[in-house]
Amino acid sequence: MTNRVWGVSRHDLVEPGGDVSRARRLQSRKHHAVGWPIAGLIVLAMVGLVMFGVATSRVGTEAGAFGAIIALLPVGVVVAAIVWMDRWEPEPPMLMLGAFLWGAGGATACSLLLNNTSISVSNALFGADSRFFLAAIMAPLVEEAAKALFVFALWWRRRSEFNGLVDGVVYAALTAAGFAFTENILYFGKAFADGGLGGPWLMVFVLRGVLAPFSHPLFTAMFGIAVGLAASRARTRAAQVGYLVAGYLAAVLLHAVWNSATFLGGTEFINVYFLIMVPIFLGTFALVVWQRKREQRIVIEQLPKLERAGLIARSEMEMLASLTGRQGWRRKVRSRSGSQAAKSVRDYQIAVTELAFLQHRAEAGRTTSAARRARREKLIEDLKQARRSAAGRQEAIQTARIKINELTRGVPKPGSPQPPQRPRRPQAPPPRSRD
């Protein structure tokens, strides 16, 4: 990596250390920041193992193992599609893993307990034949609430992770993918237990693994879209609640329509599949692609401001403006300096993207000054650390002296009226993107 790319200047200095008590407090915060997520993942993994044990106890160990192996095929396709959606601003891997584990363990456990209660209630109300009530009404209400719980909790505690629709869809789809994975183990395992390799498991696999691998992610994506809108568009608490309730109801409605269609069978089910579910899936996919393009435009718009603030080098702007440019940059670094340096470049690119989104939200007046300042400081430190790691030198911190005032120009103060929009002067066209 040359100095031209990383642009180390003589002004780069290492910040002086604080007192011992402050250092201990910072170290304690780091331990908590790392320790709690790991503890949560361990708990979720244990719950997932318990749910796998429940599944095997219902269909048998051999059938459960067969169902788990077959269930890996559709879930692999779904997770790969979710990762593809999240390429511009990849979410933290631990949170993504947590979302999947919650769906596979926590959400299925909650659904199992509540569905058992629903069976008792429905039997008391409707007698023995209550399958439609359970499948078309109770199951969508219970299962969508269980899957949405993780996404809601994450939005409530870490709203900075949600920059738009894509982030909400990613977390919602991952929880649903984990839920569908455990559910498929039961379905595939039961079909195998009923007839072995010559039994109905292949038909069940075609229905759930080929025709509808994205069914659960599509249902819960409605709530993910609502969370993304609540994080990026809602200005009041009432608007946020409205988005979340509407998203949950949309997920329940889609789930109910799908489950109801399974009772129709034959031509009616195919009609529901192609006339309702496929268009909604394609529309959601188009919405995600459009949102990815919007994220790219936001990054391109903010790159000149980050360059003037001394956070990126002018020579990096074109490479940061497109996914192909970023990938090419990482490939070159990997071939010259190894995979660790390429990973540091990737971390640097993510920090730049997050800073661009933060600046965009600040200019739109959608973040408080205190939250913005804390988030900006963390992202700048992440950016510095990535430079140090890639360049292999402690002094490789920034391109020039950081000028924070370049980022605060034009940012409205909390509670101040928004200035009238003026026509912008013609500017030089941004770097062209091949994405």
Side-chain angles (χ1 to χ4, degrees):
M1 181 66 64
T2 64
N3 284 349
R4 181 175 179 270
V5 174
W6 286 106
V8 181
S9 76
R10 61 185 178 86
H11 298 292
D12 296 336
L13 298 173
V14 179
E15 294 86 344
D19 55 61
V20 175
S21 61
R22 179 175 179 273
R24 286 175 178 170
R25 287 197 303 272
L26 290 174
Q27 192 66 22
S28 177
R29 286 193 201 122
K30 289 181 180 179
H31 288 162
H32 282 102
V34 174
W36 283 114
I38 292 177
L41 290 178
I42 292 173
V43 171
L44 288 177
M46 292 175 63
V47 173
L49 289 174
V50 170
M51 291 308 302
F52 180 75
V54 171
T56 54
S57 68
R58 290 192 171 192
V59 300
T61 304
E62 182 181 356
F66 176 85
I69 294 172
I70 299 301
L72 286 173
L73 300 177
V75 80
V77 174
V78 172
V79 171
I82 295 170
V83 172
W84 174 85
M85 286 192 302
D86 197 37
R87 288 198 303 166
W88 255 111
E89 185 231 344
E91 301 305 313
M94 290 183 68
L95 289 180
M96 296 178 73
L97 179 60
F100 183 87
L101 289 177
W102 168 257
T108 51
C110 293
S111 297
L112 181 63
L113 294 175
L114 293 175
N115 280 331
N116 288 339
T117 303
S118 301
I119 291 174
S120 301
V121 173
S122 64
N123 287 340
L125 293 176
F126 303 100
D129 191 11
S130 58
R131 291 179 302 158
F132 182 83
F133 174 78
L134 289 171
I137 298 176
M138 293 308 302
L141 287 170
V142 169
E143 293 176 7
E144 293 308 320
K147 289 183 287 182
L149 184 59
F150 179 91
V151 186
F152 174 78
L154 184 61
W155 171 78
W156 185 261
R157 294 292 299 173
R158 298 183 61 169
R159 299 192 187 187
S160 61
E161 298 295 339
F162 294 87
N163 293 304
L165 299 181
V166 174
D167 296 335
V169 170
V170 165
Y171 286 117
L174 278 172
T175 59
F179 185 92
F181 174 66
T182 302
E183 193 176 62
N184 282 340
I185 293 176
L186 281 169
Y187 278 96
F188 298 156
K190 185 176 184 306
F192 178 81
D194 289 343
L197 288 176
W201 71 269
L202 184 58
M203 182 180 67
V204 176
F205 175 79
V206 170
L207 176 63
R208 298 185 62 88
V210 178
L211 291 179
F214 290 93
S215 57
H216 271 290
L218 178 62
F219 307 151
T220 316
M222 300 299 107
F223 184 76
I225 291 172
V227 171
L229 291 173
S232 61
R233 298 293 179 88
R235 299 299 183 97
T236 64
R237 183 60 57 86
Q240 293 175 347
V241 172
Y243 277 125
L244 298 180
V245 171
Y248 170 70
L249 294 178
V252 170
L253 179 61
L254 269 183
H255 199 156
V257 169
W258 175 258
N259 284 3
S260 300
T262 60
F263 286 85
L264 300 175
T267 305
E268 288 80 5
F269 173 78
I270 297 298
N271 289 338
V272 171
Y273 178 79
F274 282 105
L275 297 179
I276 297 178
M277 305 307 295
V278 170
I280 292 177
F281 172 78
L282 294 177
T284 304
F285 177 78
L287 180 63
V288 169
V289 172
W290 172 80
Q291 182 67 13
R292 279 193 10 157
K293 292 291 184 181
R294 178 178 174 273
E295 290 179 349
Q296 182 180 15
R297 289 194 298 269
I298 290 173
V299 171
I300 291 175
E301 179 185 339
Q302 297 296 331
L303 285 177
K305 301 172 187 177
L306 299 180
E307 188 271 333
R308 290 196 299 270
L311 293 169
I312 65 175
R314 186 179 296 274
S315 60
E316 300 167 358
M317 291 175 62
E318 185 174 358
M319 292 184 290
L320 289 167
S322 69
L323 289 174
T324 52
R326 294 181 177 208
Q327 291 168 350
W329 186 0
R330 294 197 297 270
R331 281 197 299 269
K332 290 179 182 178
V333 172
R334 185 178 293 108
S335 63
R336 294 176 182 175
S337 306
S339 59
Q340 185 59 42
K343 181 182 180 298
S344 298
V345 172
R346 181 176 180 273
D347 294 340
Y348 171 76
Q349 292 170 347
I350 294 174
V352 170
T353 304
E354 291 273 11
L355 277 168
F357 288 155
L358 177 65
Q359 183 68 12
H360 176 76
R361 292 199 303 272
E363 292 174 356
R366 292 200 302 265
T367 178
T368 64
S369 57
R372 179 169 65 248
R373 193 160 47 245
R375 180 68 173 163
R376 185 175 60 207
E377 289 175 359
K378 181 184 184 305
L379 290 174
I380 291 176
E381 184 55 40
D382 291 344
L383 183 148
K384 292 178 179 180
Q385 181 59 40
R387 282 189 179 279
R388 295 187 191 109
S389 179
R393 297 189 298 274
Q394 177 66 20
E395 68 273 12
I397 294 178
Q398 58 207 33
T399 58
R401 190 178 298 278
I402 293 178
K403 307 168 188 174
I404 294 298
N405 63 308
E406 291 289 341
L407 299 181
T408 57
R409 290 181 182 178
V411 174
K413 294 181 179 180
S416 62
Q418 297 291 332
Q421 296 292 330
R422 296 182 179 178
R424 295 185 178 179
R425 294 180 180 178
Q427 296 181 352
R432 283 192 170 182
S433 168
R434 290 174 284 176
D435 291 338

